[in-house]
Amino acid sequence: MTKLNAIATIIIAATSTSGFTLPQQQQYALRTPSFSSTELKLFGSKNKDPSNPSGGANQPGMMDQLAMFKKAQEIAQKKNALDKELSNEKIVGTAADGKIQITVKYIPPQLPANPTPGYEAANVEIDEGYLENVSAEDLSKALVEAIRDGENCAMEKVAEKYKSLEEDMKGILGGMGGMAPSQK
């Protein structure tokens, strides 16, 4: 009989809404809708909040994001064209008053495996008169100096060419809320 009482108690407790729970006070309050900063505003609509000093544009809308994506593709195409142009350009490093010249070839980055560009010595020219009168140690130092000069010239040329992409990149990053365009 005690088994039957235990089973009946379990069944009653399980079917009862307050069998194992304490009564909780539920508070009902009028909730106002809130929007997170990650809310997607479709078709370019923007939050028109007059208290926002930036004009209410918290996040770019869907159409703005598509425009930014197209701009990013244009920048990638420009970068590829610049890389091709730089790889065909003759960049020369010199040492020993121009008696040693080393042609450095720019090797574009192979993304994503190798994100940094490379520089390769493609040609070495040494003045014959200098070669006859120089020691092996001085020749070695001059070759190293010429290679470093060539790499520095190549890096300067790359930085100069990439300046044209800088403003485009600032525009995209500013539009995404990442980095704001520089204030001049």
Side-chain angles (χ1 to χ4, degrees):
M1 189 72 166
T2 57
K3 287 184 183 179
L4 184 61
N5 285 340
I7 292 174
T9 305
I10 292 174
I11 292 174
I12 291 172
T15 58
S16 173
T17 58
S18 63
F20 293 109
T21 60
L22 297 173
Q24 296 179 355
Q25 293 181 354
Q26 295 181 355
Q27 296 178 356
Y28 295 101
L30 180 62
R31 290 188 176 187
T32 58
S34 64
F35 299 103
S36 69
S37 63
T38 58
E39 176 188 16
L40 180 62
K41 295 170 178 51
L42 296 176
F43 308 113
S45 65
K46 296 195 172 32
N47 184 9
K48 300 197 175 28
D49 183 7
S51 65
N52 189 349
S54 66
N58 292 337
Q59 294 267 335
M62 182 73 118
M63 299 306 274
D64 292 339
Q65 290 174 355
L66 290 174
M68 287 189 305
F69 182 72
K70 286 182 181 181
K71 187 70 172 174
Q73 286 178 326
E74 289 174 17
I75 290 172
Q77 289 173 349
K78 285 181 185 179
K79 183 199 172 298
N80 288 338
L82 285 175
D83 283 343
K84 188 174 183 178
E85 180 182 329
L86 283 166
S87 65
N88 292 329
E89 204 164 309
K90 182 178 179 180
I91 304 169
V92 179
T94 61
D97 299 323
K99 294 177 179 148
I100 296 179
Q101 294 183 349
I102 294 187
T103 304
V104 176
K105 182 177 181 180
Y106 170 78
I107 301 170
Q110 305 298 316
L111 297 174
N114 186 6
T116 57
Y119 305 98
E120 181 178 283
N123 188 25
V124 177
E125 294 179 20
I126 302 173
D127 182 65
E128 288 183 29
Y130 176 74
L131 190 58
E132 291 175 3
N133 299 326
V134 71
S135 69
E137 186 176 302
D138 289 340
L139 178 63
S140 176
K141 288 179 183 176
L143 284 169
V144 170
E145 184 181 325
I147 290 171
R148 287 185 180 152
D149 183 53
E151 287 180 352
N152 287 337
C153 289
M155 286 190 284
E156 288 172 7
K157 197 162 280 233
V158 168
E160 178 184 313
K161 295 278 185 180
Y162 277 16
K163 284 282 185 188
S164 65
L165 296 177
E166 186 175 351
E167 288 302 317
D168 292 336
M169 289 296 291
K170 284 181 182 178
I172 284 183
L173 293 175
M176 290 189 331
M179 294 173 49
S182 64
Q183 302 292 328
K184 292 186 180 179

